[in-house]
Amino acid sequence: MLENLYTTTRRRGGVAKILRLQAELDMWARSLPGGASSATAGDGSLESNTANDGAMAPTEASFEHSFLKVVLCIATIQVHRPALSFTSPDPQSTTSLHISKRASATLVKILAAGLEPADSESHLEGLLLSLLYPSGAHMLWQAGLTLLYAHWKLRLAVQSNADSSISSEPEDNETVQRCVLALRRLGDLTAEADSGHRLGQCADVLDMLRDKTFPQHLGTDNVTQEASAPRLVDGWDQVSWNVWDWPMESVLEFTNSMDVAPLDFFNSPGLT
Amino acid sequence: MSTQCSPCVSAGVVCIRSAKLQRNRKRKSFYENEGIEQRRTTTTSQTQGHSPSNPFPLQQDVSTSGTSVSPSNTIPELRPASATRSQTTGGRSHVSASGRKPTSEPIIGHMGRLVNDDQGVAMFAGTTTGVHFVSQAEQQVQMLRMNSAHSQFPSCVYSLHLHDLWGYTSRPPSDSESIRSIVSSLPLDAEAILLAAIERWTPIYPIMHKTTTIQAFRALVDESTPLTGESIVVLHQVLGLLALGSLGYQGHCTRDHYHFLCLSETHYSTSATILDKVLERPCLQTLQSLEIMQIYLQVSSRNTMASHFGGIATRLAQSLGLHRHSHRFRFDPLETELRRRVWWCQYSLDTYVFGIALDKLMLTIKLGSQAHTTACPVLFGTKMLTQTCPRALTTIYSPGPTLPFLCLVKAHR
């Protein structure tokens, strides 16, 4: 299902592929038991019914039910993430960003609820939810990063008057905090010094970014919020989605030629 | 401006490169085709046979020339111009890779990268792992200057999907005694058998690099040399080569029949006892070992086992990123060539599964002919190819023993 979207030879037609895949996901979600479709509404609306969904610990919802919801969240993220790498601005990018953000928030809530202190049985199922494919520690961390990334992009869009919608910061701040705590908790449960350090380091990065993204003294004063929010650097394209503007420095440069595009990048014959 | 940058020269447009370095700007992107398109329309008389619908003839040249590797084909055009772009203001109105078409259509620009696993081995992380998204986020952090003290993400965030949370793979190996025991039972002429086996199979399956293999073997048998994590893999390679090199020898067999596998089976049986340890160390050497095993399993008519080993090997080859063009990564000349050869050997081995079981065909159908971009291996031998040998120097050597193998590769392509 995702093969057409993640192909390396047919990079065009992404919008149509995403819409088709989202429609198939919606159909599949409707067939799930327990109304799991509320986790990720594919219509792009910000209205969400996830307030109670993600808070249910595995003992309250069955393990299988929670697992299916995790799969749905991750599938939704995988479907919409390519839109974030569009080389040119497109309305679908913003729509996908919203959907990815919502799915990531739901994913964090489900996994975090499973890792919070409870009896040993809950720990077991909570760990299984976090470790079984397609989930993983990397998905938990990236879900938290997606929430922050969405805020950076959407806040910049607000500043450029390109998009006036922005999600509630306190709720997202709290979700990212739960993500950080879940990562630390996962490190504690795995009980290996190196693993705990690695996960702890990842959690630290996320926590630092959260602190930079969400002002500590959130108030109703928009001026205060805007003054603390990340600002545009001079000369930077406000809605630059161009993926080929690589960062100045990255650990990826050690083994990768960051300036080289894949040869198949230009082999796309056209719309498929 | 005294000189023009190579992309603009090749595209036949006026170069607007600025020699002024702006450290805080983004690195100049070679693929700013919008700017090139605009400049091309003002200098149409200077174009040299490049179609307007194809503003990147260099990339196509590279892609089509990938089928025949020439040592002089250094493809410098893929490297970005040294100077940064001259204009990075918000006034830029066209920042779109799809601007070359009259109707703007976004292109999915994600790309996989190599990341190091817990054992320090570079593994290919496809875009589904999120590595591209993380790099995008890192880019945003740097652009927004959110954290001036640490502008880079730590490497752990990129390889979290590979990280062993329970620490099993990071524990020190406990197989030293078994390795020493097996090494002590190797035949006295093992090195000669290894050399003969490598020379015998290189023409159609150039899996091993002779010099490197012999050096590793000598280090393995030298008791004064401490064992490393790769020692178990080297031993498995040696046992596999001994099995192939002992075909047709009687060994201790007393049966009255044609002795084909009699001696080889002893080495194969020994290798099977350490297979699980070998599989715990995914690396290029393990893949080489699996390919050797596949060949032996084929000649010993263990077809199902050969197919299963092929599945493991194919997945490992993709995990190592062998299916991607070498220009994407930074490996020394020797490893680059070895990666190509090992990839195409596995491709061949997987293709031949077609004759055994159609439904088990993995690479040639699943990946398709366009989903892997690996270049052909070189024609000449690797005797003088070292880790530091520049590519240009390899032009002086005559064709090596891999010509038959290259014929097979071209047939696959």
Side-chain angles (χ1 to χ4, degrees):
Chain A
M1 181 166 127
L2 292 176
E3 190 174 346
N4 287 334
L5 195 57
Y6 282 86
T7 175
T8 57
T9 56
R10 299 177 185 273
R11 293 176 178 269
R12 289 184 171 84
V15 177
K17 292 176 188 176
I18 290 172
L19 293 177
R20 185 172 65 247
L21 287 172
Q22 183 58 58
E24 292 185 20
L25 263 184
D26 290 340
M27 198 182 320
W28 180 72
R30 280 193 287 272
S31 66
L32 294 178
S37 59
S38 60
T40 56
D43 57 3
S45 67
L46 296 179
E47 183 179 357
S48 170
N49 295 325
T50 59
N52 296 323
D53 288 344
M56 294 173 68
T59 50
E60 298 176 15
S62 68
F63 169 74
E64 295 78 12
H65 178 254
S66 299
F67 179 70
L68 287 174
K69 291 184 69 175
V70 167
V71 170
L72 177 61
C73 289
I74 294 176
T76 303
I77 293 170
Q78 296 282 21
V79 165
H80 288 275
R81 187 175 277 174
L84 308 185
S85 69
F86 280 165
T87 56
S88 58
D90 189 273
Q92 182 61 43
S93 301
T94 306
T95 304
S96 290
L97 188 59
H98 282 296
I99 296 175
S100 298
K101 176 173 170 291
R102 186 164 58 246
S104 298
T106 305
L107 181 64
V108 168
K109 290 170 185 174
I110 296 174
L111 297 183
L115 292 172
E116 286 167 356
D119 55 73
S120 59
E121 183 65 24
S122 299
H123 275 161
L124 176 64
E125 292 193 344
L127 272 175
L128 293 178
L129 277 180
S130 296
L131 298 176
L132 277 174
Y133 292 179
S135 186
H138 67 291
M139 289 308 303
L140 177 60
W141 188 84
Q142 288 174 21
L145 184 66
T146 302
L147 291 171
L148 299 174
Y149 183 85
H151 263 272
W152 303 335
K153 282 294 188 181
L154 296 175
R155 189 175 293 161
L156 291 169
V158 168
Q159 291 181 0
S160 66
N161 296 321
D163 187 343
S164 59
S165 63
I166 188 169
S167 299
S168 169
E169 289 193 359
E171 182 181 348
D172 291 337
N173 184 26
E174 181 186 338
T175 304
V176 177
Q177 281 183 318
R178 287 189 74 184
C179 182
V180 171
L181 291 174
L183 284 167
R184 297 194 199 283
R185 182 69 182 153
L186 186 59
D188 293 339
L189 287 173
T190 49
E192 283 290 341
D194 182 62
S195 171
H197 171 72
R198 192 78 66 90
L199 286 173
Q201 195 177 9
C202 294
D204 290 342
V205 171
L206 209 58
D207 204 19
M208 179 274 296
L209 294 174
R210 180 199 60 78
D211 187 58
K212 297 283 185 180
T213 303
F214 301 110
Q216 286 189 352
H217 303 289
L218 285 177
T220 56
D221 186 356
N222 289 333
V223 174
T224 302
Q225 293 185 21
E226 288 183 4
S228 305
R231 289 201 164 275
L232 296 173
V233 297
D234 293 337
W236 183 66
D237 191 337
Q238 297 179 11
V239 196
S240 172
W241 295 92
N242 194 342
V243 68
W244 296 108
D245 294 331
W246 287 110
M248 294 179 291
E249 298 175 358
S250 175
V251 294
L252 294 178
E253 289 185 34
F254 182 73
T255 51
N256 297 275
S257 295
M258 298 292 286
D259 299 328
V260 178
L263 296 180
D264 46 44
F265 189 78
F266 303 99
N267 285 342
S268 181
L271 266 178
T272 58
Chain B
M1 293 176 290
S2 58
T3 59
Q4 294 184 335
C5 69
S6 55
C8 290
V9 170
S10 301
V13 300
V14 176
C15 182
I16 59 172
R17 178 179 70 94
S18 169
K20 179 181 178 183
L21 292 178
Q22 296 174 309
R23 184 170 176 81
N24 292 330
R25 301 299 182 185
K26 296 181 293 256
R27 210 180 310 163
K28 176 179 172 61
S29 170
F30 174 70
Y31 302 103
E32 288 184 306
N33 56 331
E34 298 81 16
I36 291 179
E37 274 301 306
Q38 292 172 3
R39 284 175 273 146
R40 179 176 287 119
T41 56
T42 59
T43 58
T44 52
S45 60
Q46 296 184 21
T47 54
Q48 298 175 6
H50 298 303
S51 166
S53 63
N54 182 19
F56 290 100
L58 298 174
Q59 283 68 41
Q60 287 196 353
D61 288 340
V62 168
S63 61
T64 54
S65 65
T67 54
S68 61
V69 175
S70 167
S72 62
N73 184 21
T74 53
I75 322 177
E77 296 83 359
L78 278 179
R79 304 302 171 192
S82 57
T84 57
R85 77 185 93 190
S86 59
Q87 296 181 356
T88 54
T89 62
R92 261 174 44 206
S93 59
H94 300 286
V95 186
S96 168
S98 61
R100 50 181 148 157
K101 287 190 171 181
T103 56
S104 175
E105 183 183 2
I107 300 175
I108 299 174
H110 57 204
M111 193 166 75
R113 295 295 188 187
L114 283 180
V115 296
N116 288 345
D117 66 1
D118 292 350
Q119 298 166 351
V121 177
M123 306 295 281
F124 186 76
T127 49
T128 52
T129 62
V131 64
H132 186 93
F133 168 69
V134 176
S135 68
Q136 275 187 270
E138 184 181 25
Q139 174 196 32
Q140 292 295 312
V141 169
Q142 294 181 7
M143 284 182 172
L144 295 172
R145 297 175 182 168
M146 293 181 68
N147 190 16
S148 58
H150 306 283
S151 60
Q152 293 186 42
F153 281 179
S155 59
C156 59
V157 304
Y158 282 103
S159 58
L160 204 49
H161 64 286
L162 297 172
H163 179 50
D164 175 9
L165 297 179
W166 304 100
Y168 285 105
T169 56
S170 61
R171 293 175 184 172
S174 59
D175 44 21
S176 301
E177 288 188 11
S178 60
I179 293 176
R180 292 293 184 203
S181 170
I182 295 173
V183 168
S184 64
S185 64
L186 293 178
L188 296 176
D189 59 343
E191 183 170 322
I193 299 176
L194 293 181
L195 282 170
I198 293 173
E199 291 178 0
R200 172 69 179 84
W201 290 98
T202 291
I204 56 174
Y205 288 113
I207 301 170
M208 308 301 295
H209 181 236
K210 188 191 302 182
T211 307
T212 306
T213 305
I214 298 301
Q215 286 176 352
F217 171 72
R218 290 175 180 171
L220 186 66
V221 299
D222 183 4
E223 294 186 358
S224 64
T225 304
L227 297 177
T228 65
E230 287 73 33
S231 297
I232 192 76
V233 181
V234 173
L235 179 59
H236 199 262
Q237 288 181 343
V238 168
L239 290 169
L241 288 171
L242 288 176
L244 286 179
S246 302
L247 291 173
Y249 285 85
Q250 180 178 356
H252 298 292
C253 181
T254 58
R255 291 179 60 186
D256 183 18
H257 65 175
Y258 176 67
H259 304 288
F260 183 59
L261 301 173
C262 301
L263 181 55
S264 300
E265 274 298 301
T266 60
H267 299 304
Y268 170 73
S269 301
T270 307
S271 72
T273 63
I274 60 173
L275 178 63
D276 58 332
K277 300 289 185 184
V278 173
L279 294 179
E280 288 178 359
R281 299 200 162 270
C283 58
L284 187 64
Q285 291 75 18
T286 299
L287 179 55
Q288 290 173 305
S289 179
L290 289 175
E291 290 181 359
I292 294 170
M293 274 301 131
Q294 287 177 72
I295 297 172
Y296 180 77
L297 290 169
Q298 289 178 13
V299 299
S300 61
S301 294
R302 294 179 173 95
N303 301 311
T304 303
M305 280 280 291
S307 173
H308 293 170
F309 269 65
I312 297 174
T314 299
R315 182 67 64 89
L316 177 56
Q318 291 173 265
S319 297
L320 294 172
L322 303 191
H323 60 303
R324 291 290 175 247
H325 201 283
S326 57
H327 285 104
R328 297 264 297 272
F329 313 126
R330 294 176 177 172
F331 291 108
D332 57 67
L334 177 60
E335 180 146 7
T336 297
E337 178 59 20
L338 273 178
R339 287 169 62 90
R340 290 175 184 172
R341 293 187 177 199
V342 171
W343 165 259
W344 284 110
C345 283
Q346 183 53 38
Y347 196 99
S348 298
L349 290 167
D350 185 79
T351 300
Y352 298 140
V353 171
F354 178 78
I356 304 299
L358 178 61
D359 59 332
K360 295 178 184 176
L361 196 58
M362 291 181 66
L363 280 174
T364 51
I365 289 183
K366 189 67 175 176
L367 285 187
S369 60
Q370 294 180 342
H372 59 93
T373 54
T374 316
C376 271
V378 295
L379 182 62
F380 51 86
T382 57
K383 182 178 181 181
M384 298 301 292
L385 194 63
T386 64
Q387 292 176 333
T388 57
C389 176
R391 189 181 181 89
L393 292 181
T394 59
T395 59
I396 65 176
Y397 300 107
S398 59
T402 58
L403 182 57
F405 173 69
L406 286 174
C407 293
L408 291 173
V409 169
K410 290 181 180 178
H412 293 318
R413 293 175 70 99

